[in-house]
Each structure stands twice: as C-alpha cells, then as structure tokens.
C-alpha cells in the first residue's frame, strides 16, 4: 500500500527535468499572453441592463416576466436588431455562405443573453467588439419589446373597449326606456313615489275620509305601484352596471390610446470601458498549467520507458 502511494519516482523525474518543464511552462504562458491579445482575439465589451415589466398582464398561466422573456427572445426582435445594426456585416458573415443564417443566429445568440432573475426581472447582456454598439443594442431590444407589446395590447384592449362601448350604448337605451315608462306612468296616473304617496293617501283617509280623487289615486297605486317599484329596482341595477361598464371602457381605452412604457429599466446599460473577453490572466494561467501538466506527463513516460528498456 505504501509503495502504491509512493510519489518519489515522480518527484525525482520532475526534479531531473525541472528546467525543461520550467522553460515549457514559461513559454506556454508567454504564448498565452501573446495569442490572447487583440491582434489574435477580438476583445468583447459587455453591456448589461435589468428590466421590470410594467403596464401589462399575462395572457395565460405565464407571468408577465415570462411574457417579457418570450417576446425579447423572439425571432422578430432579433431580426429587427440584426437589420438596424447591420450585424451580418458587423459579425463579418458572408451572405454568399450557404449557412449564413445559421451562422448569424448562432453569433447573435452567443453575444446576446436574455434571462430571468430570481426577483422576477429580466437581465439583458450584450457582448460586442464596440462598447457603444453593445449598449445601443440593449436599448433597441427594449424598444422593440415595447413596440411589439403595444401592438398586441392595442388590438386586445381595443377589442375589449369596443365591447364595453357597445354595452354602454345598450345600457343607455335600456335606462332611457325605463325613464320613459316612469314618465308615462307619472303623467298618466300621477304616480311618482309609491312609498311617500301611499303614506300621504293613508293619512288623507284617516283625516278626511274617502273621496273620488283619493280612491282613484289609491287604485292607480295599487295597479301601477308594483311596476314603478320594479322599474326603480331595474334602474338602480342598470345605473350600477352602467358606471361599472363605463369605468372598464375608460380603463381599456386609456391603455390602448396612451403611449405607455411597458418596462422599467432599474439598472441602465452603459458603454463599458473595460473588455469582458478574453480575460488575459485566465488564458495565461490555463496555458501555463496545461503546458506544465503535459510536460510532466511526457517526461514521466520517457523515464518509464527508459526503465523498461533497461
């Protein structure tokens, strides 16, 4: 067991070849520093924004954040951004290439990241060789999202507003018909307020006794009083429904007429003054470590082969 974990031969090999390993490691580090420079790898700058959805509602079981995520990741928004910033030329993709669309989508998806945060916001990250372009692309994605959502909501809200407007007109016609019937009963039979008029008739009977006019009014109230009460009840309901429908109509109209912003940018993007890719020290460190490991492995195998041959 002790022999199994005995690293003495490996340590001896490393010590024997230490200068070779050191030279290879340093050379790899230098190569990593050189080849990670802007001459060989185009530096990318990151711009980032955090956005909360506002003035909207979801269509199904999805949340408004998931809805924002779906729209921002849509093909239509990607096409708009590609066209505005001429990304086909910017990404140096030849349109004569057979699979240029696939290459363009792949390049866009690798440089544009849209994800949901744990706090129901959406984070948009854009990497680009030009920091100004990276920042501008985020604003364009947000503007296109607002434009698309406005189109969707305008159609939906206008449909709802038209329905409520039609309902309002029907309510107005119904209320006018009730008013006309009350006016007709009041004019023809003198019934305006069943409760108070019944009270006055009862008081008149108790004080003065019966009369032709009182008998006629009593008969009219008995005949048309229930109808008047029913009309008043219907009018109360009709007015309540009218005001509720009017509120709904004005709300829906306000949504599709006004120019709302459908998101709050709580963390605004800005042109970065420091590149985000490649991280040079990481490239140098990985190059050195890989070279060191491989060189140790190679010299160890060489020594093992020599031992076997002996």
């Amino acid at each position: 067991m002790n022999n199994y974990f005995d690293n003495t031969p490996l340590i001896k090999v490393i010590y024997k070849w230490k200068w070779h390993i050191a030279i290879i490691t340093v050379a790899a580090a230098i190569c990593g520093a050189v080849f990670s420079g802007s001459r060989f790898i185009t530096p990318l700058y990151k711009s980032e924004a955090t956005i909360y959805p506002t003035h909207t509602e979801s269509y199904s079981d999805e949340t408004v954040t998931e809805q924002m995520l779906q729209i921002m990741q849509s093909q239509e928004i990607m096409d708009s951004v590609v066209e505005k910033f001429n990304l086909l030329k910017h990404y140096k993709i030849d349109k004569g290439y057979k699979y240029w669309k696939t290459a363009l989508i792949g390049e866009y998806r690798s440089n544009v990241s849209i994800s949901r945060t744990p706090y129901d916001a959406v984070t948009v990250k854009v990497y680009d060789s030009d920091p100004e372009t990276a920042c501008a692309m985020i604003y364009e994605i947000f503007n296109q999202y607002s434009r698309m959502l406005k189109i969707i909501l305008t159609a939906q809200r206008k449909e709802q507003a038209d329905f409520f407007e039609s309902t309002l007109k029907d309510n107005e016609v119904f209320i006018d018909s009730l008013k006309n019937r009350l006016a007709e009963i009041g004019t023809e039979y003198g019934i305006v307020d069943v409760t108070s008029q019944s009270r006055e008739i009862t008081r008149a009977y108790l004080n003065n006794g019966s009369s032709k006019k009182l008998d006629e009014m009593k008969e009219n109230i008995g005949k048309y009083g229930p109808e008047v009460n029913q009309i008043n009840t219907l009018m109360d309901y009709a007015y309540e429904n009218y005001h509720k429908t009017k509120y709904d109509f004005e709300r829906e109209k306000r949504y599709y007429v006004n120019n709302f912003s459908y998101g709050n940018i709580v963390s605004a993007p800005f042109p970065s003054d420091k590149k985000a890719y490649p991280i040079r020290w990481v490239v140098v460190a990985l190059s050195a470590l890989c070279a060191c490991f491989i060189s140790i492995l190679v010299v160890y195998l060489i020594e093992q082969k020599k031992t076997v041959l002996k």
Side-chain angles (χ1 to χ4, degrees):
M1 182 65 70
N2 291 333
N3 291 332
Y4 185 80
F5 292 104
D6 188 2
N7 295 322
T8 303
L10 178 61
I11 295 173
K12 288 181 178 180
V13 168
I14 294 174
Y15 182 77
K16 179 180 178 181
W17 293 82
K18 59 182 181 295
W19 295 114
H20 298 81
I21 295 172
I23 292 170
I24 292 172
T25 301
V26 172
I30 294 172
C31 289
V34 171
F35 288 104
S36 62
S38 58
R39 183 176 295 182
F40 296 94
I41 301 177
T42 303
L44 297 180
Y45 297 85
K46 182 179 78 169
S47 196
E48 181 176 355
T50 302
I51 306 169
Y52 276 98
T54 57
H55 297 117
T56 184
E57 58 187 28
S58 60
Y59 301 117
S60 58
D61 294 335
E62 65 179 6
T63 64
V64 291
T65 304
E66 291 170 338
Q67 176 181 272
M68 173 183 275
L69 197 63
Q70 291 294 326
I71 294 175
M72 284 187 169
Q73 291 176 336
S74 67
Q75 183 70 34
E76 184 173 344
I77 286 185
M78 189 195 80
D79 291 341
S80 299
V81 174
V82 166
E83 182 178 356
K84 179 168 182 177
F85 295 95
N86 195 10
L87 293 184
L88 194 64
K89 181 179 179 181
H90 187 64
Y91 291 152
K92 299 177 182 178
I93 298 174
D94 184 7
K95 205 168 184 179
Y97 174 52
K98 183 178 180 181
Y99 303 107
W100 68 268
K101 287 185 178 179
T102 303
L104 177 61
I105 293 173
E107 192 71 22
Y108 179 88
R109 298 298 184 194
S110 65
N111 290 325
V112 178
S113 170
I114 304 173
S115 59
R116 178 179 179 177
T117 71
Y119 305 103
D120 285 333
V122 170
T123 297
V124 183
K125 298 178 184 177
V126 176
Y127 293 85
D128 197 85
S129 57
D130 182 1
E132 297 287 345
T133 300
C135 180
M137 283 176 65
I138 291 182
Y139 280 111
E140 180 62 16
I141 290 170
F142 176 69
N143 292 336
Q144 289 298 325
Y145 157 76
S146 295
R147 180 189 65 82
M148 283 187 62
L149 194 59
K150 182 173 177 58
I151 292 173
I152 296 170
L153 291 181
T154 295
Q156 182 187 35
R157 299 288 188 181
K158 191 175 186 309
E159 184 179 348
Q160 290 292 328
D162 290 343
F163 169 76
F164 288 130
E165 186 177 21
S166 175
T167 304
L168 277 177
K169 291 179 180 178
D170 292 340
N171 283 345
E172 289 172 356
V173 171
F174 181 61
I175 289 172
D176 287 341
S177 68
L178 294 177
K179 286 181 177 179
N180 291 336
R181 180 55 181 163
L182 281 179
E184 181 183 341
I185 294 174
T187 302
E188 294 291 332
Y189 307 105
I191 301 175
V192 179
D193 187 334
V194 175
T195 303
S196 60
Q197 285 181 305
S198 297
R199 189 182 301 114
E200 291 298 324
I201 289 173
T202 302
R203 184 179 300 159
Y205 269 113
L206 293 175
N207 293 333
N208 304 320
S210 178
S211 69
K212 183 178 179 181
K213 187 176 181 179
L214 284 174
D215 291 342
E216 183 179 351
M217 181 59 69
K218 180 182 178 183
E219 182 181 352
N220 288 341
I221 287 177
K223 186 174 182 180
Y224 297 102
E227 183 181 355
V228 171
N229 288 333
Q230 185 180 21
I231 291 174
N232 285 327
T233 301
L234 288 174
M235 283 191 68
D236 289 339
Y237 171 77
Y239 272 118
E240 181 182 353
N241 190 48
Y242 176 85
H243 291 304
K244 183 180 181 303
T245 304
K246 187 177 182 181
Y247 170 80
D248 292 336
F249 167 70
E250 291 175 348
R251 181 195 62 197
E252 297 298 326
K253 186 177 180 180
R254 184 175 70 252
Y255 267 107
Y256 83 81
V257 170
N258 292 343
N259 189 22
F260 285 117
S261 173
Y262 296 103
N264 286 333
I265 302 178
V266 295
S267 178
F270 61 89
S272 177
D273 57 357
K274 184 180 179 181
K275 67 179 181 179
Y277 173 86
I279 303 174
R280 206 164 191 176
W281 71 266
V282 173
V283 176
V284 172
L286 288 177
S287 300
L289 286 173
C290 290
C292 181
F293 174 78
I294 292 173
S295 60
I296 291 173
L297 180 62
V298 170
V299 296
Y300 182 76
L301 292 175
I302 291 172
E303 290 295 324
Q304 288 293 104
K305 187 176 181 181
K306 288 179 180 180
T307 303
V308 171
L309 291 176
K310 288 180 181 180

